[in-house]
Each structure stands twice: as structure tokens, then as C-alpha cells.
Amino acid sequence: MDQVTQPNGLPFMKMHGAGNDFVVIDSRGRESAVVTPALARALGDRNRGVGFDQLAEIRDGTADAAFTLDFWNGDGTRAEACGNATRCVSDYVMRGLGQDAVSLITARGGLSAVRLADGRVSVNMGVPQLDWQSVPLAHEVDLLHLPLPGDPVAVGMGNPHCVLFVEDAEAVDLTGLGPRYEHDPIFPQRSNVEFASLIAPDHLRMRVWERGTGITLACGSGACATAVAAHLRGLTGRRVVLDLDGGVLEVDWRSDGVWMTGPVAHVFDGWLTPAFLAAHR
């Protein structure tokens, strides 16, 4: 992104990972972050803004991490984790640095990403949070069998997830069911909601309702949570291929964390006008 030719505007990138799409703003070198709740809401409007599943802002790193990454939902709330955006931005930063591995910081903590020989990018999303306080839940309960319809599993991946295993994920009414689980009182910070059906012991079909956004074509942290839940339920091993509406993600729950791998795409660069920015401070 050329930040010299348009000094009065704000450059951004549009990216996606398996159809999970993002607006990315590179704020490295600035004194402070530029994204506000109002700007996130305005940019997330697919008719009056740019449109995204999540907004990611790149900020300066530390001695141990090349960059810091902040996430926003389309409703102007903050998101603690976003696996596909992490992979996309890591690919962008790695290309700028001329390397195939990078460390970064999110609200989840320190993460690492690598580019594979086939161009896909893997990110270590960290160790799953499997106690009720960390997910978080409103009170102590069996995470593998929440007292909700459908017998869901709760998993924390830096953000909360409610995973339901169903006979046919294709037949699920995401619009009707997703908000019910997202806003259930057992999730004090709301929840992402995944519906998954078993294809084979190493293969799942998954669809997702994302907290603060709605239906998306893919969700990286959701794929990780679903793979963890499936293994804990005895449905799969620790390595799983997941078919999502927007493409295929692979998850490998290793001793050092949950690694998630998939495609990345840098679609276009653009500029937000000074008038748009002034209207949505």
C-alpha cells in the first residue's frame, strides 16, 4: 500500500482466507491506532462502507514479535482472535520482510505463523482454553456437555465458541439458531457458534455463525474449536480436515497449540477518503 501518493486518505487492504473476508489497515509507524467502534461499524457496512467479516489493524510489534494485530467485528465490538485474518496478515508481513515465518501479538497472546511450500499459511492459535472461567462461561459447568439444546461443547480459543455436532450441517438454520446460542446467558461475552457433522474420523463439515457478524463462509478460530471439541468427544483424531462454506481448512492439535492451515488471498488495495473518515470518527 503506497502511503505517499494519497497523504490525506487512509489506505486499506481487502483480504480473505477461504472466503472469510477482512479489511486490513496497516497502522505501523503511527503514534496510535486509528480504528474506533464507529469506524469499524461504518467500514463493515457492505452497502455504505467496504464490508468485511472482521476488521484487522496492524500495529507496531516488539523485540520478540514483528507486529501486533487488533480485531474488530462489524457491530463495532472488539474480537479477541481471528485465525484467518491472522494468516492473511502474516502472509502480507512475511512477504514484506522476505521471510517464511513470523511472530506476532494479539489479545490471545504471542502467536507464530509460517508459509508452506504450496503457498498456504499456518498459524499456531495457541493452547485451547478448557476451563469454564477462561472460555468464559457464566458459571461452572461440564464444557463437553453444556445444558443447552443440542448438547453443545464450549471451547475457548482466545474467544468463546459453542460447538454443536449435528447429523447434517447443511440442513441447519444458521439464521434462526445462531443468535440463540450467541446470546445465551451462559456466555457472558456472547459466543461464536459452529455446527459440524462427521464425514470421517479425520473429516468434518462445518458451518458457522460468528459473534457480532453473523453467517460467514469460514472461521479459523471456529475451525480450531470444532476440531478440539470433536477430538474431546471421541469423534476424530487430533488432525482434522474441515469443509466450510468458503473452502477447506486443516487443523492439527499439537502439544504446543492448535495449528490451523489454509489459503490466503490479497484481493485489492484501496483508500478511505478524508470525508468518510471525518464522518465516522
Side-chain angles (χ1 to χ4, degrees), residues 20-23 25 35-46 51-57 69-83 85 107 158-161 182-183 189-194 208-216 218-222:
N20 196 187
D21 70 320
F22 317 103
V23 165
I25 295 174
V35 179
T36 64
L39 180 58
R41 287 192 296 270
L43 279 173
D45 189 320
R46 294 190 183 273
F52 58 73
D53 290 336
Q54 269 81 38
L55 168 63
E57 184 172 12
L69 199 53
D70 295 335
F71 305 110
W72 296 79
N73 296 312
D75 64 358
T77 58
R78 294 293 294 267
E80 302 88 353
C82 184
N159 53 358
H161 292 269
E182 176 190 355
H183 294 279
Q189 297 179 9
R190 299 181 294 164
S191 180
N192 300 280
V193 188
E194 289 81 30
V208 61
W209 174 274
E210 288 202 53
R211 177 185 59 166
T213 298
I215 297 172
T216 61
C219 176
S221 62

Short mmCIF file of all heavy atoms in Angstrom, two decimals, residues 20-23 25 35-46 51-57 69-83 85 107 158-161 182-183 189-194 208-216 218-222:
data_model
loop_
_atom_site.label_atom_id
_atom_site.label_comp_id
_atom_site.label_asym_id
_atom_site.label_seq_id
_atom_site.Cartn_x
_atom_site.Cartn_y
_atom_site.Cartn_z
N ASN A 20 -13.53 -16.08 4.15
CA ASN A 20 -13.66 -15.28 5.37
C ASN A 20 -12.95 -13.96 5.09
O ASN A 20 -11.73 -13.92 4.98
CB ASN A 20 -13.00 -16.04 6.52
CG ASN A 20 -13.35 -15.57 7.90
OD1 ASN A 20 -12.76 -16.04 8.85
ND2 ASN A 20 -14.31 -14.68 8.06
N ASP A 21 -13.70 -12.85 4.89
CA ASP A 21 -13.10 -11.65 4.31
C ASP A 21 -12.85 -10.56 5.34
O ASP A 21 -13.57 -10.42 6.32
CB ASP A 21 -13.92 -11.12 3.14
CG ASP A 21 -15.25 -10.51 3.56
OD1 ASP A 21 -15.91 -11.08 4.45
OD2 ASP A 21 -15.63 -9.48 3.00
N PHE A 22 -11.80 -9.77 5.07
CA PHE A 22 -11.30 -8.80 6.03
C PHE A 22 -10.92 -7.50 5.35
O PHE A 22 -10.42 -7.49 4.22
CB PHE A 22 -10.04 -9.34 6.74
CG PHE A 22 -10.17 -10.77 7.14
CD1 PHE A 22 -9.53 -11.77 6.41
CD2 PHE A 22 -10.96 -11.13 8.21
CE1 PHE A 22 -9.67 -13.09 6.75
CE2 PHE A 22 -11.11 -12.46 8.56
CZ PHE A 22 -10.46 -13.44 7.83
N VAL A 23 -11.14 -6.42 6.06
CA VAL A 23 -10.47 -5.15 5.78
C VAL A 23 -9.27 -5.08 6.71
O VAL A 23 -9.38 -5.36 7.91
CB VAL A 23 -11.40 -3.95 6.00
CG1 VAL A 23 -10.62 -2.65 6.07
CG2 VAL A 23 -12.44 -3.88 4.88
N ILE A 25 -6.04 -2.62 7.95
CA ILE A 25 -5.43 -1.30 8.00
C ILE A 25 -4.06 -1.43 8.65
O ILE A 25 -3.93 -1.98 9.74
CB ILE A 25 -6.31 -0.31 8.79
CG1 ILE A 25 -7.63 -0.09 8.05
CG2 ILE A 25 -5.57 1.01 9.01
CD1 ILE A 25 -8.63 0.76 8.82
N VAL A 35 -8.48 2.82 14.37
CA VAL A 35 -9.82 2.25 14.32
C VAL A 35 -10.59 2.57 15.61
O VAL A 35 -10.06 2.44 16.71
CB VAL A 35 -9.78 0.73 14.11
CG1 VAL A 35 -11.21 0.15 14.09
CG2 VAL A 35 -9.08 0.39 12.79
N THR A 36 -11.82 3.01 15.44
CA THR A 36 -12.75 3.26 16.53
C THR A 36 -13.98 2.39 16.31
O THR A 36 -14.19 1.88 15.20
CB THR A 36 -13.16 4.73 16.58
OG1 THR A 36 -13.89 5.03 15.37
CG2 THR A 36 -11.95 5.65 16.69
N PRO A 37 -14.83 2.22 17.33
CA PRO A 37 -16.07 1.47 17.09
C PRO A 37 -16.91 2.04 15.96
O PRO A 37 -17.47 1.29 15.14
CB PRO A 37 -16.78 1.58 18.45
CG PRO A 37 -15.68 1.70 19.44
CD PRO A 37 -14.64 2.54 18.76
N ALA A 38 -16.98 3.36 15.86
CA ALA A 38 -17.77 3.98 14.79
C ALA A 38 -17.18 3.69 13.42
O ALA A 38 -17.92 3.40 12.46
CB ALA A 38 -17.85 5.49 15.03
N LEU A 39 -15.86 3.76 13.30
CA LEU A 39 -15.23 3.47 12.02
C LEU A 39 -15.40 2.00 11.65
O LEU A 39 -15.66 1.67 10.49
CB LEU A 39 -13.75 3.84 12.07
CG LEU A 39 -12.95 3.61 10.78
CD1 LEU A 39 -13.56 4.39 9.61
CD2 LEU A 39 -11.49 3.98 10.96
N ALA A 40 -15.28 1.11 12.62
CA ALA A 40 -15.47 -0.31 12.36
C ALA A 40 -16.88 -0.59 11.84
O ALA A 40 -17.07 -1.32 10.87
CB ALA A 40 -15.18 -1.13 13.61
N ARG A 41 -17.89 0.01 12.49
CA ARG A 41 -19.27 -0.20 12.05
C ARG A 41 -19.48 0.34 10.63
O ARG A 41 -20.13 -0.30 9.80
CB ARG A 41 -20.24 0.47 13.01
CG ARG A 41 -20.39 -0.24 14.35
CD ARG A 41 -21.56 0.31 15.13
NE ARG A 41 -21.36 1.71 15.49
CZ ARG A 41 -20.77 2.12 16.61
NH1 ARG A 41 -20.29 1.22 17.49
NH2 ARG A 41 -20.65 3.40 16.88
N ALA A 42 -18.92 1.51 10.35
CA ALA A 42 -19.10 2.12 9.03
C ALA A 42 -18.41 1.30 7.94
O ALA A 42 -18.97 1.08 6.87
CB ALA A 42 -18.57 3.55 9.05
N LEU A 43 -17.20 0.87 8.21
CA LEU A 43 -16.46 0.07 7.23
C LEU A 43 -17.13 -1.28 7.01
O LEU A 43 -17.08 -1.84 5.90
CB LEU A 43 -15.02 -0.15 7.69
CG LEU A 43 -14.04 0.99 7.43
CD1 LEU A 43 -12.71 0.70 8.10
CD2 LEU A 43 -13.86 1.19 5.94
N GLY A 44 -17.76 -1.84 8.04
CA GLY A 44 -18.38 -3.15 7.92
C GLY A 44 -19.66 -3.16 7.12
O GLY A 44 -20.12 -4.23 6.71
N ASP A 45 -20.23 -2.01 6.86
CA ASP A 45 -21.46 -1.91 6.07
C ASP A 45 -21.15 -2.23 4.61
O ASP A 45 -20.41 -1.50 3.96
CB ASP A 45 -22.03 -0.50 6.20
CG ASP A 45 -23.42 -0.36 5.61
OD1 ASP A 45 -23.67 -0.95 4.53
OD2 ASP A 45 -24.26 0.33 6.20
N ARG A 46 -21.72 -3.32 4.10
CA ARG A 46 -21.39 -3.76 2.74
C ARG A 46 -22.05 -2.91 1.66
O ARG A 46 -21.74 -3.06 0.48
CB ARG A 46 -21.76 -5.23 2.56
CG ARG A 46 -20.92 -6.17 3.41
CD ARG A 46 -21.12 -7.64 3.06
NE ARG A 46 -20.36 -8.51 3.94
CZ ARG A 46 -19.10 -8.88 3.73
NH1 ARG A 46 -18.46 -8.44 2.66
NH2 ARG A 46 -18.48 -9.67 4.58
N GLY A 51 -17.28 -3.40 3.72
CA GLY A 51 -17.81 -4.73 4.01
C GLY A 51 -16.70 -5.69 4.43
O GLY A 51 -15.63 -5.72 3.82
N PHE A 52 -16.96 -6.42 5.51
CA PHE A 52 -15.99 -7.41 5.97
C PHE A 52 -16.66 -8.34 6.97
O PHE A 52 -17.73 -8.04 7.51
CB PHE A 52 -14.78 -6.73 6.63
CG PHE A 52 -15.10 -5.83 7.81
CD1 PHE A 52 -15.48 -6.37 9.04
CD2 PHE A 52 -15.03 -4.46 7.70
CE1 PHE A 52 -15.77 -5.56 10.12
CE2 PHE A 52 -15.33 -3.64 8.78
CZ PHE A 52 -15.70 -4.19 9.99
N ASP A 53 -16.02 -9.48 7.22
CA ASP A 53 -16.41 -10.32 8.35
C ASP A 53 -15.73 -9.83 9.62
O ASP A 53 -16.33 -9.81 10.69
CB ASP A 53 -16.02 -11.78 8.09
CG ASP A 53 -16.87 -12.42 7.01
OD1 ASP A 53 -18.00 -11.95 6.79
OD2 ASP A 53 -16.39 -13.39 6.39
N GLN A 54 -14.45 -9.46 9.50
CA GLN A 54 -13.72 -8.81 10.60
C GLN A 54 -12.80 -7.74 10.01
O GLN A 54 -12.42 -7.80 8.85
CB GLN A 54 -12.87 -9.82 11.39
CG GLN A 54 -13.57 -10.45 12.58
CD GLN A 54 -14.46 -11.60 12.16
OE1 GLN A 54 -14.12 -12.37 11.27
NE2 GLN A 54 -15.61 -11.73 12.80
N LEU A 55 -12.48 -6.78 10.87
CA LEU A 55 -11.53 -5.73 10.56
C LEU A 55 -10.27 -5.99 11.37
O LEU A 55 -10.35 -6.27 12.57
CB LEU A 55 -12.13 -4.37 10.91
CG LEU A 55 -11.21 -3.14 10.93
CD1 LEU A 55 -10.64 -2.87 9.56
CD2 LEU A 55 -11.98 -1.92 11.44
N ALA A 56 -9.11 -5.92 10.72
CA ALA A 56 -7.84 -6.14 11.40
C ALA A 56 -6.96 -4.90 11.25
O ALA A 56 -6.84 -4.36 10.15
CB ALA A 56 -7.12 -7.36 10.83
N GLU A 57 -6.38 -4.46 12.35
CA GLU A 57 -5.46 -3.32 12.32
C GLU A 57 -4.08 -3.79 12.76
O GLU A 57 -3.91 -4.34 13.84
CB GLU A 57 -5.95 -2.20 13.23
CG GLU A 57 -5.05 -0.96 13.15
CD GLU A 57 -5.61 0.25 13.90
OE1 GLU A 57 -6.59 0.07 14.68
OE2 GLU A 57 -5.10 1.36 13.69
N LEU A 69 -1.59 -7.25 16.29
CA LEU A 69 -2.79 -7.31 15.46
C LEU A 69 -4.03 -7.17 16.34
O LEU A 69 -4.19 -7.90 17.32
CB LEU A 69 -2.83 -8.63 14.70
CG LEU A 69 -3.71 -8.76 13.46
CD1 LEU A 69 -3.43 -7.63 12.46
CD2 LEU A 69 -3.49 -10.12 12.80
N ASP A 70 -4.88 -6.19 16.01
CA ASP A 70 -6.14 -5.97 16.70
C ASP A 70 -7.29 -6.34 15.78
O ASP A 70 -7.23 -6.10 14.57
CB ASP A 70 -6.30 -4.50 17.12
CG ASP A 70 -5.26 -4.06 18.14
OD1 ASP A 70 -4.74 -4.91 18.87
OD2 ASP A 70 -4.97 -2.84 18.19
N PHE A 71 -8.39 -6.85 16.36
CA PHE A 71 -9.53 -7.30 15.57
C PHE A 71 -10.81 -6.61 16.01
O PHE A 71 -11.02 -6.37 17.20
CB PHE A 71 -9.72 -8.82 15.71
CG PHE A 71 -8.52 -9.63 15.37
CD1 PHE A 71 -7.82 -10.31 16.35
CD2 PHE A 71 -8.06 -9.73 14.05
CE1 PHE A 71 -6.72 -11.08 16.05
CE2 PHE A 71 -6.94 -10.48 13.75
CZ PHE A 71 -6.27 -11.16 14.74
N TRP A 72 -11.69 -6.35 15.03
CA TRP A 72 -12.98 -5.73 15.28
C TRP A 72 -14.07 -6.49 14.53
O TRP A 72 -13.85 -6.97 13.41
CB TRP A 72 -13.00 -4.28 14.79
CG TRP A 72 -12.04 -3.38 15.51
CD1 TRP A 72 -10.70 -3.27 15.32
CD2 TRP A 72 -12.37 -2.45 16.56
NE1 TRP A 72 -10.17 -2.34 16.17
CE2 TRP A 72 -11.17 -1.82 16.93
CE3 TRP A 72 -13.56 -2.11 17.19
CZ2 TRP A 72 -11.13 -0.84 17.93
CZ3 TRP A 72 -13.53 -1.13 18.18
CH2 TRP A 72 -12.33 -0.52 18.54
N ASN A 73 -15.25 -6.58 15.14
CA ASN A 73 -16.42 -7.13 14.47
C ASN A 73 -17.18 -6.03 13.73
O ASN A 73 -16.98 -4.83 13.99
CB ASN A 73 -17.36 -7.80 15.49
CG ASN A 73 -16.73 -8.98 16.17
OD1 ASN A 73 -16.15 -9.84 15.52
ND2 ASN A 73 -16.84 -9.04 17.49
N GLY A 74 -18.10 -6.45 12.88
CA GLY A 74 -18.87 -5.48 12.11
C GLY A 74 -19.81 -4.64 12.93
O GLY A 74 -20.25 -3.57 12.48
N ASP A 75 -20.14 -5.06 14.15
CA ASP A 75 -21.02 -4.27 15.01
C ASP A 75 -20.24 -3.29 15.88
O ASP A 75 -20.81 -2.64 16.76
CB ASP A 75 -21.90 -5.18 15.88
CG ASP A 75 -21.09 -6.02 16.87
OD1 ASP A 75 -19.84 -5.95 16.87
OD2 ASP A 75 -21.71 -6.78 17.63
N GLY A 76 -18.94 -3.18 15.64
CA GLY A 76 -18.12 -2.22 16.37
C GLY A 76 -17.53 -2.74 17.66
O GLY A 76 -16.84 -1.99 18.37
N THR A 77 -17.75 -4.02 17.96
CA THR A 77 -17.16 -4.62 19.16
C THR A 77 -15.81 -5.22 18.81
O THR A 77 -15.52 -5.53 17.65
CB THR A 77 -18.07 -5.71 19.75
OG1 THR A 77 -18.31 -6.71 18.75
CG2 THR A 77 -19.39 -5.11 20.20
N ARG A 78 -14.99 -5.39 19.85
CA ARG A 78 -13.67 -5.98 19.64
C ARG A 78 -13.77 -7.50 19.60
O ARG A 78 -14.61 -8.11 20.27
CB ARG A 78 -12.72 -5.57 20.77
CG ARG A 78 -12.41 -4.09 20.80
CD ARG A 78 -11.59 -3.64 19.60
NE ARG A 78 -10.27 -4.21 19.60
CZ ARG A 78 -9.20 -3.61 20.14
NH1 ARG A 78 -9.33 -2.44 20.73
NH2 ARG A 78 -8.03 -4.18 20.10
N ALA A 79 -12.91 -8.11 18.80
CA ALA A 79 -12.77 -9.56 18.76
C ALA A 79 -11.38 -9.91 19.26
O ALA A 79 -10.40 -9.25 18.89
CB ALA A 79 -12.96 -10.09 17.34
N GLU A 80 -11.30 -10.92 20.11
CA GLU A 80 -10.01 -11.28 20.70
C GLU A 80 -9.13 -12.10 19.76
O GLU A 80 -7.91 -12.10 19.88
CB GLU A 80 -10.22 -12.07 22.00
CG GLU A 80 -11.03 -11.34 23.05
CD GLU A 80 -12.52 -11.58 22.91
OE1 GLU A 80 -12.94 -12.20 21.91
OE2 GLU A 80 -13.27 -11.14 23.80
N ALA A 81 -9.76 -12.83 18.86
CA ALA A 81 -8.99 -13.72 17.98
C ALA A 81 -9.68 -13.81 16.62
O ALA A 81 -10.90 -13.70 16.52
CB ALA A 81 -8.88 -15.12 18.60
N CYS A 82 -8.89 -14.02 15.59
CA CYS A 82 -9.41 -14.23 14.24
C CYS A 82 -8.34 -14.97 13.46
O CYS A 82 -7.37 -14.37 12.97
CB CYS A 82 -9.76 -12.91 13.57
SG CYS A 82 -10.52 -13.11 11.94
N GLY A 83 -8.49 -16.28 13.35
CA GLY A 83 -7.43 -17.11 12.78
C GLY A 83 -7.14 -16.85 11.32
O GLY A 83 -5.98 -16.77 10.90
N ALA A 85 -7.78 -14.09 9.53
CA ALA A 85 -7.16 -12.78 9.37
C ALA A 85 -5.70 -12.82 9.80
O ALA A 85 -4.84 -12.20 9.17
CB ALA A 85 -7.92 -11.73 10.17
N ALA A 107 -4.61 -10.17 21.18
CA ALA A 107 -5.18 -10.25 22.53
C ALA A 107 -5.09 -11.66 23.08
O ALA A 107 -5.13 -11.86 24.30
CB ALA A 107 -6.64 -9.79 22.49
N GLY A 158 -9.19 -18.08 22.78
CA GLY A 158 -8.96 -16.65 22.90
C GLY A 158 -10.27 -15.92 22.76
O GLY A 158 -10.41 -14.78 23.21
N ASN A 159 -11.25 -16.54 22.11
CA ASN A 159 -12.63 -16.09 22.04
C ASN A 159 -13.53 -17.29 22.30
O ASN A 159 -13.12 -18.44 22.16
CB ASN A 159 -12.93 -15.44 20.68
CG ASN A 159 -12.55 -16.32 19.51
OD1 ASN A 159 -12.03 -17.41 19.67
ND2 ASN A 159 -12.82 -15.86 18.31
N PRO A 160 -14.78 -17.07 22.73
CA PRO A 160 -15.64 -18.19 23.12
C PRO A 160 -16.32 -18.87 21.92
O PRO A 160 -16.73 -18.20 20.97
CB PRO A 160 -16.68 -17.52 24.02
CG PRO A 160 -16.72 -16.11 23.55
CD PRO A 160 -15.36 -15.76 23.06
N HIS A 161 -16.44 -20.19 22.01
CA HIS A 161 -17.09 -20.96 20.95
C HIS A 161 -18.07 -21.96 21.54
O HIS A 161 -17.80 -22.58 22.57
CB HIS A 161 -16.05 -21.71 20.11
CG HIS A 161 -15.19 -20.81 19.30
ND1 HIS A 161 -15.51 -20.44 18.01
CD2 HIS A 161 -14.03 -20.17 19.60
CE1 HIS A 161 -14.57 -19.61 17.56
NE2 HIS A 161 -13.67 -19.44 18.51
N GLU A 182 -25.50 -17.60 20.44
CA GLU A 182 -24.59 -16.47 20.64
C GLU A 182 -24.97 -15.66 21.88
O GLU A 182 -24.10 -15.25 22.65
CB GLU A 182 -24.61 -15.54 19.42
CG GLU A 182 -23.74 -14.29 19.61
CD GLU A 182 -23.93 -13.23 18.53
OE1 GLU A 182 -24.66 -13.48 17.55
OE2 GLU A 182 -23.33 -12.14 18.67
N HIS A 183 -26.25 -15.44 22.07
CA HIS A 183 -26.72 -14.56 23.15
C HIS A 183 -27.22 -15.31 24.37
O HIS A 183 -27.79 -14.69 25.27
CB HIS A 183 -27.83 -13.65 22.61
CG HIS A 183 -27.37 -12.68 21.57
ND1 HIS A 183 -26.74 -11.49 21.87
CD2 HIS A 183 -27.43 -12.74 20.20
CE1 HIS A 183 -26.44 -10.86 20.75
NE2 HIS A 183 -26.85 -11.58 19.73
N GLN A 189 -19.89 -13.15 27.40
CA GLN A 189 -19.31 -12.32 26.34
C GLN A 189 -19.84 -12.73 24.96
O GLN A 189 -19.23 -12.45 23.95
CB GLN A 189 -17.77 -12.42 26.37
CG GLN A 189 -17.16 -11.88 27.66
CD GLN A 189 -15.64 -12.00 27.68
OE1 GLN A 189 -15.00 -12.33 26.68
NE2 GLN A 189 -15.05 -11.72 28.83
N ARG A 190 -20.99 -13.38 24.96
CA ARG A 190 -21.59 -13.95 23.75
C ARG A 190 -20.67 -15.06 23.21
O ARG A 190 -19.64 -15.38 23.80
CB ARG A 190 -21.86 -12.90 22.67
CG ARG A 190 -22.83 -11.82 23.11
CD ARG A 190 -23.08 -10.84 21.99
NE ARG A 190 -21.89 -10.08 21.68
CZ ARG A 190 -21.74 -9.37 20.54
NH1 ARG A 190 -22.71 -9.36 19.64
NH2 ARG A 190 -20.64 -8.69 20.32
N SER A 191 -21.04 -15.67 22.09
CA SER A 191 -20.26 -16.80 21.59
C SER A 191 -20.34 -16.90 20.08
O SER A 191 -21.35 -16.56 19.46
CB SER A 191 -20.77 -18.11 22.20
OG SER A 191 -20.02 -19.21 21.73
N ASN A 192 -19.26 -17.37 19.49
CA ASN A 192 -19.30 -17.87 18.12
C ASN A 192 -19.97 -19.24 18.16
O ASN A 192 -19.82 -19.98 19.14
CB ASN A 192 -17.88 -18.00 17.55
CG ASN A 192 -17.16 -16.66 17.54
OD1 ASN A 192 -17.36 -15.84 16.66
ND2 ASN A 192 -16.31 -16.44 18.53
N VAL A 193 -20.68 -19.59 17.10
CA VAL A 193 -21.45 -20.83 17.11
C VAL A 193 -21.12 -21.65 15.87
O VAL A 193 -21.25 -21.16 14.74
CB VAL A 193 -22.97 -20.54 17.15
CG1 VAL A 193 -23.74 -21.84 17.35
CG2 VAL A 193 -23.30 -19.54 18.24
N GLU A 194 -20.68 -22.90 16.09
CA GLU A 194 -20.33 -23.79 14.99
C GLU A 194 -21.25 -25.01 14.99
O GLU A 194 -21.53 -25.58 16.04
CB GLU A 194 -18.87 -24.26 15.10
CG GLU A 194 -17.86 -23.18 14.83
CD GLU A 194 -17.59 -22.27 16.02
OE1 GLU A 194 -17.71 -22.74 17.17
OE2 GLU A 194 -17.29 -21.08 15.79
N VAL A 208 -20.86 -21.87 10.25
CA VAL A 208 -20.59 -21.01 11.40
C VAL A 208 -21.45 -19.76 11.42
O VAL A 208 -21.76 -19.18 10.38
CB VAL A 208 -19.08 -20.63 11.45
CG1 VAL A 208 -18.68 -19.85 10.20
CG2 VAL A 208 -18.74 -19.84 12.70
N TRP A 209 -21.82 -19.38 12.64
CA TRP A 209 -22.43 -18.09 12.95
C TRP A 209 -21.44 -17.36 13.85
O TRP A 209 -21.13 -17.81 14.94
CB TRP A 209 -23.76 -18.27 13.66
CG TRP A 209 -24.38 -16.99 14.14
CD1 TRP A 209 -24.13 -16.35 15.33
CD2 TRP A 209 -25.33 -16.19 13.45
NE1 TRP A 209 -24.87 -15.21 15.42
CE2 TRP A 209 -25.63 -15.08 14.28
CE3 TRP A 209 -25.98 -16.30 12.22
CZ2 TRP A 209 -26.53 -14.08 13.91
CZ3 TRP A 209 -26.88 -15.30 11.85
CH2 TRP A 209 -27.15 -14.22 12.68
N GLU A 210 -20.90 -16.22 13.37
CA GLU A 210 -19.87 -15.52 14.15
C GLU A 210 -20.46 -14.42 15.02
O GLU A 210 -21.31 -13.64 14.57
CB GLU A 210 -18.81 -14.94 13.21
CG GLU A 210 -17.91 -16.00 12.59
CD GLU A 210 -16.59 -15.44 12.13
OE1 GLU A 210 -15.89 -14.79 12.95
OE2 GLU A 210 -16.24 -15.65 10.96
N ARG A 211 -19.98 -14.36 16.22
CA ARG A 211 -20.38 -13.34 17.19
C ARG A 211 -20.14 -11.94 16.62
O ARG A 211 -19.06 -11.62 16.15
CB ARG A 211 -19.56 -13.54 18.47
CG ARG A 211 -19.77 -12.53 19.56
CD ARG A 211 -18.82 -12.74 20.72
NE ARG A 211 -17.43 -12.68 20.33
CZ ARG A 211 -16.41 -12.58 21.19
NH1 ARG A 211 -16.64 -12.53 22.48
NH2 ARG A 211 -15.17 -12.54 20.76
N GLY A 212 -21.18 -11.12 16.64
CA GLY A 212 -21.03 -9.74 16.21
C GLY A 212 -21.01 -9.56 14.71
O GLY A 212 -20.87 -8.42 14.23
N THR A 213 -21.14 -10.64 13.95
CA THR A 213 -21.06 -10.55 12.50
C THR A 213 -22.21 -11.29 11.82
O THR A 213 -22.86 -10.77 10.93
CB THR A 213 -19.72 -11.11 11.99
OG1 THR A 213 -18.65 -10.31 12.53
CG2 THR A 213 -19.64 -11.09 10.47
N GLY A 214 -22.46 -12.54 12.23
CA GLY A 214 -23.49 -13.35 11.59
C GLY A 214 -22.89 -14.50 10.81
O GLY A 214 -21.81 -14.99 11.14
N ILE A 215 -23.57 -14.92 9.76
CA ILE A 215 -23.09 -16.03 8.94
C ILE A 215 -21.84 -15.61 8.18
O ILE A 215 -21.81 -14.55 7.55
CB ILE A 215 -24.17 -16.49 7.95
CG1 ILE A 215 -25.40 -17.02 8.68
CG2 ILE A 215 -23.62 -17.58 7.03
CD1 ILE A 215 -26.58 -17.31 7.78
N THR A 216 -20.80 -16.43 8.24
CA THR A 216 -19.60 -16.21 7.44
C THR A 216 -19.25 -17.50 6.70
O THR A 216 -19.71 -18.58 7.07
CB THR A 216 -18.40 -15.77 8.31
OG1 THR A 216 -18.10 -16.79 9.26
CG2 THR A 216 -18.71 -14.47 9.05
N ALA A 218 -16.35 -18.86 6.49
CA ALA A 218 -15.32 -19.64 7.21
C ALA A 218 -14.99 -18.91 8.50
O ALA A 218 -15.23 -17.71 8.63
CB ALA A 218 -14.07 -19.82 6.36
N CYS A 219 -14.43 -19.64 9.44
CA CYS A 219 -13.97 -19.06 10.71
C CYS A 219 -12.80 -19.90 11.20
O CYS A 219 -12.97 -21.08 11.51
CB CYS A 219 -15.10 -19.06 11.74
SG CYS A 219 -14.62 -18.47 13.38
N GLY A 220 -11.62 -19.28 11.25
CA GLY A 220 -10.43 -20.03 11.63
C GLY A 220 -10.42 -20.47 13.07
O GLY A 220 -10.15 -21.64 13.37
N SER A 221 -10.74 -19.55 13.98
CA SER A 221 -10.78 -19.95 15.39
C SER A 221 -11.91 -20.95 15.62
O SER A 221 -11.81 -21.85 16.45
CB SER A 221 -10.94 -18.73 16.30
OG SER A 221 -12.16 -18.06 16.05
N GLY A 222 -13.01 -20.80 14.85
CA GLY A 222 -14.11 -21.76 14.95
C GLY A 222 -13.73 -23.13 14.46
O GLY A 222 -14.16 -24.15 15.04
#
